[in-house]
Amino acid sequence: MRKLRKILLMILCGILMLTGCSESAKKAQNENSSGSNVASEDSSKKEKVEIQFWYGLGSVAGQTMESIIADFNASQDKVKVVGVQQADYNETYQKVQAAIAAKQPPAVFIGSKISEMAESQIAVDLSTFMNDKTPESDYLDVLMKPAKINGKIYAIPAYGTTQVMYYRKDLLNKAGIKPEDAYSSWEKVYEASKEIQKKGVTKWGHLPMWGADNLIDIALSNGGSILSEDGKKVTINSPEWIESWDFIRKQIFENKTAKIESGGQGWEYWYRTIDNVMGGQAMSYTGSSGDKGDLDFKIIGSCPQPGLNGKPGKPQAGGHYLVVPQAASKEQQQAAFEWISYFTSPKISAKWSMKTGYIPVRKSAMEDEDYKAFTKENPYAIVPYQQALKATPVFIDPTKGKITDALSIAADKIELQNIPTKQALDEAQKVAQEALDKINK
């Protein structure tokens, strides 16, 4: 009997042990399962929002952008930016429009036709995203003004740009020409061009950059305007325009001190122009403040654009902008602004300027210690900023590009085909005026 009781007691203990183990196992299993779910949720929360950023930059600027994107991605765990490089700014805009139509837009891109994008409801109002990291008052007024329409901010300036003069210090010295004299007026620029050719130092003198921009700058620096004060008349065939544009036509086709590098893929024409100067075939050229990353300042000097006929230089200064499409999702838009906030921060804006030569967009970037030291050691780097302070604000075309398109066509007629300047500008004015009249009805 005792033996039977002992056996029953052992069986009962075994059952209790098994039951206890099962409950513990179940509890442990539940805890592990619960922990797994928490880890999964945490992982989901920490997963980066991936966005595409489209930009039309080449050479050093493109490489610098890639580097800054990589730094941003490594600096935080919320957003991953995937840079998509395009051939140029125009191609970027065209592809963005196509992508929006296909309902596959990038989250952010670099563009400049802000008024057109606002009116076409392409760009989202970013004023609701701005915070103490992106105070509107800290952005340069000349750059922020075109982005603000009817109280809404449709873009944030990525970098400022203006076109300045770049010249070969060594070649001018060889020809006995002082830069401060040669670039004191447009007349002096081409007197020096003729002199340096006669002495056999270079084949060409000063090279304008293909397109309407350089010609517009010279017209403005001759007292011209694009529109009348009341904004109702297109004035691009005034004597100031005809005189200044014909001045350049003569350098190309009559005096043969200049030539125009045109065509090619993307920025090809631009770099061919630079190569003429860097290779010693030309004395100087007019180019973007962003060219500085491609130049060797051991032999290159820089100065602001001069005026014509005794007038002060008044070239345009403007910006390229970070734009977020309305078609992007709310999550994508918020992630895009995280990137915008980083790229336009004072430190990164200063870094971008030091690497590329573009104008910083933040006033506080001027107080960055690295930037102050850099501009003190490299005086050429501050030239675009100095020019921008006195420059003409970039023209905002009220006709969605009809006026600027007319000017581009006229520039090609004059620079490439040697069409009489008055004829080309009269034709451009007629087309532009018709476009302006339609919106003023």
Side-chain angles (χ1 to χ4, degrees):
M1 190 68 173
R2 287 182 181 176
K3 187 175 182 180
L4 179 60
R5 287 179 180 175
K6 188 175 182 180
I7 292 170
L8 290 173
L9 185 59
M10 289 176 67
I11 292 171
L12 181 59
C13 288
I15 290 170
L16 291 172
M17 288 176 67
L18 287 171
T19 303
C21 288
S22 296
E23 291 301 322
S24 298
K26 286 179 182 178
K27 185 177 180 181
Q29 185 176 5
N30 289 337
E31 286 176 353
N32 287 338
S33 176
S34 175
S36 176
N37 289 337
V38 170
S40 177
E41 289 174 6
D42 288 347
S43 175
S44 175
K45 287 178 182 177
K46 290 182 178 180
E47 186 176 347
K48 291 187 176 185
V49 178
E50 185 172 301
I51 61 171
Q52 285 195 359
F53 166 47
W54 292 9
Y55 56 93
L57 295 165
S59 192
V60 172
Q63 294 166 14
T64 302
M65 183 62 78
E66 290 175 3
S67 174
I68 293 176
I69 290 172
D71 289 344
F72 170 72
N73 287 337
S75 72
Q76 43 73 52
D77 59 6
K78 293 181 180 179
V79 180
K80 179 181 179 182
V81 172
V82 177
V84 180
Q85 193 165 349
Q86 311 293 344
D88 54 31
Y89 299 120
N90 289 331
E91 180 182 289
T92 302
Y93 187 43
Q94 290 166 5
K95 287 190 174 181
V96 165
Q97 290 174 300
I100 290 172
K103 297 183 179 179
Q104 293 182 324
V108 58
F109 65 94
I110 289 181
S112 56
K113 298 180 179 179
I114 309 304
S115 60
E116 180 180 328
M117 288 188 279
E119 188 174 339
S120 303
Q121 297 186 333
I122 289 175
V124 74
D125 174 17
L126 295 175
S127 59
T128 58
F129 292 92
M130 296 182 76
N131 51 44
D132 56 359
K133 291 183 179 179
T134 54
E136 181 185 345
S137 60
D138 193 38
Y139 290 87
L140 294 181
D141 297 337
V142 71
L143 302 180
M144 184 57 84
K145 187 177 179 180
K148 194 170 184 179
I149 301 168
N150 297 325
K152 296 182 178 180
I153 298 172
Y154 287 99
I156 302 295
Y159 43 90
T161 183
T162 188
Q163 298 212 29
V164 299
M165 312 291 270
Y166 296 107
Y167 56 86
R168 284 286 298 264
K169 295 183 290 186
D170 55 337
L171 300 182
L172 287 171
N173 184 58
K174 186 176 180 181
I177 300 171
K178 294 181 178 180
E180 57 270 28
D181 293 334
Y183 298 96
S184 60
S185 71
W186 277 110
E187 293 92 338
K188 290 285 188 179
V189 169
Y190 284 105
E191 285 177 18
S193 296
K194 200 67 179 175
E195 185 177 349
I196 205 168
Q197 282 180 311
K198 285 181 178 179
K199 292 182 176 179
V201 177
T202 62
K203 183 177 181 180
W204 304 100
H206 183 80
L207 305 184
M209 192 63 73
W210 175 44
D213 288 346
N214 279 185
L215 294 175
I216 292 171
D217 281 351
I218 294 174
L220 296 173
S221 297
N222 193 37
S225 64
I226 297 176
L227 299 178
S228 58
E229 287 187 14
D230 61 7
K232 294 182 178 180
K233 184 177 180 182
V234 179
T235 56
I236 59 175
N237 63 340
S238 68
E240 292 85 357
W241 281 78
I242 294 170
E243 183 181 35
S244 56
W245 283 38
D246 200 55
F247 177 79
I248 296 299
R249 184 198 63 79
K250 288 177 180 177
Q251 306 309 321
I252 299 168
F253 294 102
E254 296 177 18
N255 297 337
K256 300 188 184 300
T257 51
K259 68 170 180 172
I260 297 293
E261 294 284 2
S262 63
Q265 180 69 27
W267 297 108
E268 185 180 334
Y269 72 94
W270 197 284
Y271 293 113
R272 288 204 307 267
T273 305
I274 293 174
D275 288 345
N276 276 293
V277 176
M278 291 302 297
Q281 286 79 47
M283 175 183 83
S284 55
Y285 80 102
T286 312
S288 167
S289 53
D291 290 352
K292 285 182 164 55
D294 298 293
L295 301 172
D296 179 3
F297 284 93
K298 292 177 183 176
I299 59 173
I300 294 290
S302 181
C303 63
Q305 284 193 52
L308 183 66
N309 287 320
K311 299 181 178 70
K314 296 290 290 183
Q316 294 186 96
H320 294 285
Y321 294 81
L322 291 156
V323 184
V324 177
Q326 285 192 24
S329 70
K330 296 296 182 184
E331 182 183 48
Q332 294 268 299
Q333 290 176 5
Q334 185 61 58
F337 199 80
E338 292 288 335
W339 161 241
I340 290 172
S341 178
Y342 177 86
F343 186 76
T344 65
S345 64
K347 191 75 177 175
I348 301 302
S349 188
K351 177 181 177 180
W352 172 259
S353 179
M354 288 186 281
K355 290 285 187 180
T356 65
Y358 286 113
I359 303 167
V361 300
R362 298 282 286 269
K363 298 170 187 175
S364 53
M366 298 298 169
E367 300 306 315
D368 180 78
E369 292 302 324
D370 291 338
Y371 187 71
K372 287 197 290 186
F374 179 79
T375 53
K376 184 177 181 180
E377 185 177 346
N378 304 282
Y380 65 81
I382 205 69
V383 168
Y385 181 75
Q386 292 171 335
Q387 179 167 289
L389 295 178
K390 300 177 181 179
T392 303
V394 69
F395 175 62
I396 300 174
D397 192 341
T399 65
K400 294 185 180 179
K402 297 289 195 307
I403 295 173
T404 52
D405 286 347
L407 283 167
S408 293
I409 292 169
D412 277 356
K413 288 178 179 179
I414 292 165
E415 291 184 328
L416 305 181
Q417 302 173 43
N418 197 21
I419 299 293
T421 303
K422 187 177 187 306
Q423 177 186 329
L425 286 174
D426 281 346
E427 292 169 353
Q429 194 277 340
K430 183 179 179 181
V431 171
Q433 189 65 56
E434 288 175 355
L436 185 62
D437 289 342
K438 285 181 180 179
I439 67 169
N440 283 334
K441 284 183 178 179

